[in-house]
Amino acid sequence: MIEGVLLKGYGGFYYVYAEDRVWECSLRGRFRVKDQDFLPGDRVRILPDEEEKATIEAVEPRRNALIRPTIANVDQAILVFALTSPKPDLNLMDRLLIQVTDADIEPILVFTKLDKFREDTLTEISEEPSVTDVYRKIGYTVFEVSNETGEGIEQVGARLKEKISVLAGPSGAGKSSLFNALSPGKKLKTGELSIKSKRGRHTTRHVELMVCAGGLVADTPGFSSLFLPNLSRAELAECFPEFAQRRSQCRFSSCIHDKEPNCAIKEALERGEISSSRYEHYLIFLQEVIEAERRY
Ligand SMILES: Nc1nc2c(ncn2[C@@H]2O[C@H](COP(=O)(O)OP(=O)(O)O)[C@@H](O)[C@H]2O)c(=O)[nH]1
Ligand SMILES: [Mg+2]
Ligand SMILES: [Zn+2]
């Protein structure tokens, strides 16, 4: 028996990555009824046959499961934003960070188009504190890359090894380009799937994991329209590390860092230790959370 990870189900078969290759698998009879229960990311045990194919014999319990995209056992989310064209939408970035943090998935911020950003800033004089510094200072893992020149790509690749990652971020940010930069020349072993799928039925919205830089990655088109998960006010503040770390210094233990006096978060904001855009977004999200509470 070999241990592997399910990449995708398609046309009645399951494609499993194990021992550095992709196996076309069918299911043992007893699994058939629970067909739809398999998700990309599921850890399975397979039994190879003489024709280099295999059957799925067992499935491990899931550590977690994302709903959109539907992937199990996600370790980390690579949040991809361009440094320029388009300018990063920090509201969306903070929203994604909350989603990911609340799902207990590690966020990694990758800012793309470093080459273009450098060109742009040569002609501009005024420089705001750089967005990457803001997020680094909070303690997030931040990379700046160019998918064009390859700068910084290796460092991102090193973080993917043996992990299940999802790529998220707005369209045009460079997610697909990043994926390609990370897997030079290696057009995925799943390439033959498209031929086989011709006889299969048309599946909509199918999600798949792909082998990339020694790990498994899903490039997800539908991760950019995000609403906040059902959070309480306290949970929301917990998702801002720079707030959570100062919370015990607020005068009231129930402080939601809005109108309360002697709030350590607002004091840190005034001293410039907390970014005003982060705090602004916090207040927007807090309003959403309060409105959601009213509705239920
Ligand atoms: N100059 C430059 N262009 C990039 C970079 N990354 C992506 N692009 C371009 O940005 C556009 C959108 O990239 P794409 O990967 O399709 O974005 P996606 O929608 O997030 O998958 C394409 O025209 C890419 O060639 C980069 O690092 N530098
Ligand atoms: Mg894309
Ligand atoms: Zn407070």
Side-chain angles (χ1 to χ4, degrees):
M1 211 96 94
I2 307 173
E3 284 180 22
V5 177
L6 180 65
L7 299 180
K8 73 191 273 191
Y10 199 87
F13 292 104
Y14 291 86
Y15 296 86
V16 172
Y17 183 66
E19 298 194 333
D20 218 23
R21 57 159 286 201
V22 179
W23 301 77
E24 185 186 276
C25 301
S26 42
L27 295 179
R28 270 270 167 261
R30 66 194 158 94
F31 280 129
R32 233 170 260 281
V33 272
K34 297 203 296 175
D35 211 313
Q36 69 277 23
D37 269 338
F38 288 91
L39 290 182
D42 269 331
R43 296 186 188 282
V44 296
R45 265 173 288 154
I46 62 170
L47 190 65
D49 63 21
E50 302 84 54
E51 283 143 19
E52 292 285 287
K53 296 189 177 168
T55 49
I56 296 180
E57 302 285 323
V59 190
E60 303 296 325
R62 284 174 197 144
R63 193 169 74 82
N64 63 28
L66 284 181
I67 297 163
R68 203 160 29 131
T70 43
I71 300 177
N73 300 317
V74 176
D75 296 303
Q76 52 192 20
I78 317 291
L79 308 185
V80 181
F81 285 81
L83 284 167
T84 181
S85 41
K87 275 211 154 72
D89 175 349
L90 299 184
N91 181 312
L92 176 61
M93 187 183 310
D94 289 335
R95 228 170 252 280
L96 284 167
L97 281 169
I98 291 168
Q99 277 242 321
V100 163
T101 307
D102 184 61
D104 208 14
I105 294 168
E106 185 175 357
I108 294 175
L109 289 170
V110 176
F111 290 92
T112 61
K113 311 197 187 184
L114 182 57
D115 56 306
K116 196 146 201 322
F117 181 75
R118 289 224 182 92
E119 264 174 50
D120 292 357
T121 46
L122 273 180
T123 50
E124 274 171 37
I125 302 144
S126 84
E127 256 313 312
E128 316 157 35
S130 111
V131 62
T132 52
D133 287 345
V134 168
Y135 286 88
R136 251 187 216 116
K137 207 174 112 202
I138 297 168
Y140 291 115
T141 305
V142 179
F143 295 101
E144 293 162 74
V145 306
S146 166
N147 297 319
E148 290 282 315
T149 67
E151 186 175 354
I153 294 296
E154 212 174 296
Q155 289 89 319
V156 176
R159 292 297 299 250
L160 301 184
K161 274 191 186 57
E162 279 153 34
K163 296 266 165 67
I164 296 179
S165 312
V166 294
L167 290 173
S171 140
K175 295 184 293 300
S176 299
S177 306
L178 176 66
F179 182 91
N180 290 335
L182 284 164
S183 31
K186 190 178 173 189
K187 277 306 149 213
L188 314 161
K189 283 182 187 163
T190 51
E192 68 264 25
L193 292 189
S194 53
I195 304 155
K196 288 206 173 94
S197 67
K198 273 181 189 155
R199 64 178 177 81
R201 249 166 268 126
H202 209 76
T203 40
T204 50
R205 286 208 311 140
H206 75 248
V207 181
E208 71 176 293
L209 284 166
M210 293 173 285
V211 182
C212 180
L216 300 175
V217 175
D219 180 3
T220 61
F223 213 152
S224 55
S225 62
L226 282 175
F227 41 88
L228 295 179
N230 282 328
L231 291 173
S232 69
R233 299 162 194 211
E235 284 165 340
L236 175 68
E238 277 306 296
C239 290
F240 285 71
E242 73 273 47
F243 293 17
Q245 126 207 350
R246 294 176 167 94
R247 181 196 49 187
S248 65
Q249 291 148 39
C250 292
R251 176 164 163 199
F252 300 105
S253 61
S254 61
C255 190
I256 55 167
H257 325 307
D258 183 12
K259 304 258 156 54
E260 296 90 342
N262 300 96
C263 167
I265 277 66
K266 281 188 287 174
E267 286 164 8
L269 175 73
E270 270 151 38
R271 288 195 302 268
E273 292 168 15
I274 283 178
S275 129
S276 53
S277 100
R278 291 275 293 172
Y279 184 69
E280 246 169 61
H281 296 154
Y282 169 75
L283 289 183
I284 293 170
F285 303 156
L286 181 63
Q287 241 18 74
E288 288 177 25
V289 166
I290 290 170
E291 268 159 43
E293 277 171 5
R294 279 208 198 97
R295 259 180 273 128
Y296 297 110

